[in-house]
Amino acid sequence: MKAIDIQNELAKVLFTEAEIQNRLKEIASEIDAEYADKDVLLVGVLNGALMVMADLSRHLKIHCETDWMAISSYGAGTQSSGIVRILKDLSTTIKDRHVLVVEDIVDTGLTLHYLLENLRSREPASLNLMTLLRKPEALQAPVDVKWVGFDIPKEFVVGYGLDYAGKYRNLRDIGVLDPKMYS
Ligand code: PRP
C-alpha cells in the first residue's frame, strides 16, 4: 500500500516551515522589545493558533504566561458570520494585564473584531493582536493588527494549524490544497 504524505495533497506551498519560523523569530524580537518591562499574557485562540502559539512563545526571550479561548462562529459553511459564541473562556482575569492575542489567520475579521471588543470590555492594561496570516482583500470588519506574519491573497489555505474539515493542521508548511482533495 502506498504511504500517505499529506504534503503531496497541496497544489502549492505558500510558506515553508523555515520561512514561517524565520518570520516568527523576527516578530518575537519585536514583541520582546515591546514588552521588555511588562508581564505579558499570550491568549491563543483554539484550534488554529496552536502551532503559532507554541513556536512564537518559544522564540520569545521575555517572561510570558499563556491562556486559551475557544470560540465558534455561526456561519454558513466556511464563511464567518460575526456572531461568535465562547466555548471556552480564559482561565484568568485580564483586568489591568497586558494581553497579546495570538491567531493563525484574520480572514473576514469578523471573529477577531468581536473577540477584541469582548476582551477590551474586561479592561486589560493593553490589548494587542498578532496574527500569522491576514487576507486584506477579505476584510469585512476593522481589526487592529499589531503584528502580521504574512499578507496573503483570498485563497483557502491549510497547514500549520489551519484546517480543511478538521484535517491538515499537522502540515509543517502552509499551502493551497489541491482542488481534487475537496470532497
Ligand atoms: C479561524 C481563525 C480565526 C477565524 C478567522 O478559526 O483561527 O479564529 O477563523 O476568520 P474570520 O476573520 O473570517 O472571522 P476557525 O473558525 O477556522 O476555527 P479553528 O481555529 O478551530 O480552525
Side-chain angles (χ1 to χ4, degrees), residues 23-33 56 59-61:
R23 186 72 188 108
L24 286 179
K25 275 182 209 167
E26 288 175 357
I27 293 173
S29 70
E30 292 178 25
I31 294 172
D32 282 338
L56 179 77
H59 289 312
L60 291 176
K61 295 186 168 62

Side-chain angles (χ1 to χ4, degrees), residues 73-94:
S73 42
Y74 292 102
T78 55
Q79 286 292 307
S80 297
S81 63
I83 304 167
V84 177
R85 190 160 58 111
I86 295 176
L87 302 177
K88 184 224 168 290
D89 208 337
L90 296 171
S91 308
T92 48
T93 175
I94 59 168

Side-chain angles (χ1 to χ4, degrees), residues 107-166:
D107 193 326
T108 63
L110 294 169
T111 306
L112 267 297
H113 179 78
Y114 169 87
L115 188 65
L116 292 174
E117 285 300 303
N118 180 293
L119 294 177
R120 199 168 286 119
S121 72
R122 305 182 195 193
E123 301 178 344
S126 68
L127 180 63
N128 283 318
L129 170 64
M130 178 273 163
T131 182
L132 181 63
L133 302 176
R134 177 175 61 183
K135 291 183 186 173
E137 294 160 14
L139 212 57
Q140 292 177 27
V143 177
D144 192 9
V145 181
K146 176 100 174 169
W147 291 283
V148 59
F150 306 102
D151 278 326
I152 60 170
K154 263 173 99 169
E155 282 183 301
F156 189 78
V157 291
V158 297
Y160 197 70
L162 293 143
D163 74 304
Y164 167 64

Side-chain angles (χ1 to χ4, degrees), residues 5-51:
D5 184 348
I6 57 173
Q7 182 83 23
N8 297 334
E9 298 178 9
L10 293 180
K12 66 177 170 185
V13 170
L14 289 182
F15 305 105
T16 64
E17 182 181 10
E19 287 169 332
I20 295 166
Q21 294 307 324
N22 285 338
R23 186 72 188 108
L24 286 179
K25 275 182 209 167
E26 288 175 357
I27 293 173
S29 70
E30 292 178 25
I31 294 172
D32 282 338
E34 176 78 19
Y35 296 99
D37 54 353
K38 301 182 184 96
D39 287 332
V40 64
L41 175 69
L42 305 179
V43 170
V45 185
L46 294 167
N47 293 301
L50 178 67
M51 309 298 178

